[in-house]
Amino acid sequence: MNIIELVKGYITPDLISKTSSELGENESGISKAINAFIPILLGGVLEKKNSTTGLFHTIKSFGASRGLANISTEQETPDTIKELINVIFGSNAQPIVSKIAEYAEISTGSSSKLLDLTALTTFGSIGKEAEYNNVTESDFFSSLGGIKDKILGLIPTGLGLGALGLGTMFNDAPKITETKDVAKDHVTETITETRKVVDVEPEEKPYVAPVDAYAETHNKNNGGGDFWKWLIPLILVALAAFFLLKKCNKNEEKTVVTEETEIVVDSLNEDSLNTAPKELSDIDLDGVALKGYANGLEDQIIKFIKAPDFATMSEDQLKEKWFNFDNVNFVFGKTDQLEPGSEIQLDNVAAILKKYPTAKIKLGAYTDKVGDDEKNKEISQKRADYLKAELTKRGVGAQIIAAEGYGEEFAKVAETASDAERASDRKMSLRFTK
């Protein structure tokens, strides 16, 4: 798959002209911005290869379900594209938009719309091609990694993207550029080679006295007795020094490894060492067996409802106790599609509410701190609304008083933490209410 040519095939002169009219910008600025966003998006995907699961699946699914006809900046950007931009760039999306606006000499608003349009075209075309040719995730990232240097060479110099902390893909490095003008198309092709200079300290070696070549030859011709008398002891001393030095280095390395291992082990807790997958078990609902996790959502809320003081708890007391869904997961990038198996827990919650018809709940959806605050709130609200709609279909809509998306308002883990650490902030929850 020739990814760059594939994407650029959809950026036609007609699209540039139409977009120029829609945004009120000159065609040159539109073209510069789009051609800058394409490698930045591809580089972002490559950078997230190992840290974000499901990225290729989302791109492929989007391309398979979305046509690329009549692309326009006047259309609403699909939620999947918003989520992909958010996942790839997080809070750096706006700084990137501003830098491209300055580079292409267009407004920030136009630059933002062009990022959405370019992302839609890029991911739509890649996903469509991947679905049609049954491209695997491994094949895709192998192909993308194979053109890494070309991607970097297409990113305009001087943008300073490395300073945004986007990852090693965007770190600034010394560059040698050669420009070739093609008169026919008035195209400037920049071939960029990045060279990294590594300072290597010279290795210390045991001192060995220089050998006099003339004396060596002379001694050989005369039997060599005097030569070996002083050379052999010198060699033995050098070997002894070599092995002594090697042993010292080995002991030092061993000590360092031991210390590092101790630090890592001390930082682990029992749960992190236990990587065995959880298994569903029978949860008793007054004689009816529900399939759920032991001490999971269903088990907790049944015990909570049956507690003697539940009926007399005030609203302020109920607000303090939220229960997290532990088997309901949205498809990456989606606000209206759940992963297979999620319906089991929704069925269970509906069954519990039907068993206790006076119980009322509120739904809450949360995100981590990565990305734009408003977009996170919008995504979480749509997911909360979707869960409410799904439970309503199961006949308990009257018992759901509200569904609210809180975005990153209550996120506790730093934006700079790993994806696994931030996972605790991304959740769907419920609480009881009056």
Side-chain angles (χ1 to χ4, degrees):
M1 186 195 305
N2 191 331
I3 297 175
I4 294 176
E5 294 306 316
L6 171 69
V7 176
K8 287 190 173 183
Y10 286 89
I11 310 299
T12 64
D14 288 342
L15 177 62
I16 297 293
S17 179
K18 183 178 75 169
T19 305
S20 173
S21 298
E22 291 172 354
L23 299 179
E25 305 279 2
N26 63 67
E27 293 187 12
S28 174
I30 298 295
S31 181
K32 286 179 68 176
I34 291 177
N35 282 299
F37 278 132
I38 290 174
I40 291 173
L41 285 163
L42 293 177
V45 170
L46 192 55
E47 183 66 37
K48 293 291 182 179
K49 170 187 173 182
N50 296 321
S51 63
T52 305
T53 58
L55 189 57
F56 173 71
H57 172 75
T58 301
I59 293 173
K60 188 174 180 179
S61 299
F62 176 76
S65 61
R66 168 81 188 201
L68 291 175
N70 301 318
I71 300 173
S72 171
T73 55
E74 295 179 345
Q75 296 176 350
E76 183 178 357
T77 304
D79 289 337
T80 301
I81 295 300
K82 292 179 182 178
E83 181 73 6
L84 283 169
I85 293 174
N86 188 37
V87 167
I88 295 171
F89 300 125
S91 58
N92 286 315
Q94 190 55 47
I96 292 173
V97 164
S98 298
K99 288 177 179 294
I100 297 302
E102 182 179 359
Y103 161 73
E105 299 180 330
I106 58 176
S107 71
T108 304
S110 295
S111 181
S112 179
K113 290 184 177 181
L114 287 175
L115 172 58
D116 290 352
L117 180 142
T118 309
L120 188 153
T121 306
T122 300
F123 299 138
S125 59
I126 291 174
K128 182 179 179 180
E129 183 75 7
E131 177 68 20
Y132 182 78
N133 290 307
N134 198 26
V135 176
T136 65
E137 181 176 16
S138 176
D139 291 339
F140 169 70
F141 280 114
S142 175
S143 178
L144 195 60
I147 58 171
K148 176 181 176 180
D149 289 342
K150 187 172 183 180
I151 292 173
L152 292 175
L154 291 174
I155 298 176
T157 58
L159 292 180
L161 299 181
L164 298 178
L166 294 173
T168 55
M169 274 288 297
F170 299 94
N171 286 344
D172 294 332
K175 294 181 177 179
I176 302 173
T177 55
E178 171 191 346
T179 302
K180 178 177 66 176
D181 293 323
V182 182
K184 181 179 179 181
D185 297 317
H186 303 287
V187 177
T188 300
E189 177 184 356
T190 301
I191 304 169
T192 305
E193 176 186 357
T194 302
R195 295 177 177 174
K196 183 176 181 182
V197 180
V198 181
D199 293 324
V200 181
E201 293 185 1
E203 180 184 359
E204 284 192 16
K205 297 182 179 179
Y207 173 76
V208 179
V211 178
D212 189 331
Y214 170 79
E216 182 179 5
T217 304
H218 179 76
N219 287 337
K220 278 183 180 178
N221 294 335
N222 291 279
D226 292 338
F227 171 76
W228 290 110
K229 284 180 181 179
W230 63 264
L231 181 59
I232 291 176
L234 187 60
I235 292 175
L236 292 175
V237 171
L239 287 173
F242 171 77
F243 285 113
L244 181 62
L245 181 62
K246 185 175 182 182
K247 183 177 180 181
C248 291
N249 287 339
K250 187 174 182 180
N251 289 337
E252 182 180 349
E253 290 173 1
K254 184 176 180 180
T255 302
V256 172
V257 171
T258 302
E259 290 174 353
E260 290 178 350
T261 303
E262 289 175 356
I263 293 172
V264 173
V265 172
D266 288 343
S267 70
L268 295 174
N269 56 37
E270 184 178 352
D271 291 337
S272 63
L273 289 172
N274 182 14
T275 58
K278 294 194 295 184
E279 294 183 359
L280 294 176
S281 58
D282 288 338
I283 308 298
D284 179 58
L285 177 62
D286 293 342
V288 177
L290 305 178
K291 287 295 181 182
Y293 296 129
N295 298 316
L297 174 73
E298 294 90 339
D299 206 0
Q300 291 180 40
I301 62 178
I302 290 173
K303 291 176 181 177
F304 190 73
I305 294 173
K306 287 184 175 181
D309 57 347
F310 172 71
T312 59
M313 291 181 72
S314 67
E315 182 69 14
D316 287 339
Q317 290 174 314
L318 292 173
K319 283 181 180 179
E320 299 299 318
K321 185 61 178 177
W322 284 86
F323 302 90
N324 295 334
F325 285 86
D326 50 19
N327 198 23
V328 170
N329 300 293
F330 280 85
V331 172
F332 177 82
K334 298 288 185 181
T335 58
D336 59 356
Q337 185 179 347
L338 297 174
E339 290 184 357
S342 298
E343 66 279 355
I344 295 175
Q345 189 150 74
L346 292 178
D347 291 341
N348 290 344
V349 172
I352 295 169
L353 291 177
K354 288 178 181 179
K355 184 67 178 179
Y356 300 96
T358 59
K360 296 178 174 60
I361 64 170
K362 177 179 180 178
L363 298 170
Y366 308 82
T367 70
D368 60 24
K369 292 183 178 181
V370 174
D372 180 75
D373 293 4
E374 290 302 317
K375 286 186 178 180
N376 282 340
K377 191 170 182 64
E378 178 186 345
I379 290 169
S380 64
Q381 184 61 57
K382 288 183 178 181
R383 288 183 169 177
D385 291 339
Y386 182 78
L387 282 196
K388 180 180 180 180
E390 286 298 304
L391 289 171
T392 299
K393 290 178 184 177
R394 290 164 169 78
V396 293
Q399 291 174 257
I400 304 173
I401 304 305
E404 186 169 355
Y406 295 99
E408 60 185 76
E409 181 179 350
F410 297 100
K412 298 178 180 179
V413 182
E415 182 178 353
T416 54
S418 68
D419 185 70
E421 292 172 315
R422 297 195 313 271
S424 60
D425 286 334
R426 303 190 296 267
K427 58 193 175 185
M428 303 294 302
S429 307
L430 67 82
R431 74 169 178 86
F432 290 92
T433 183
K434 294 293 185 181

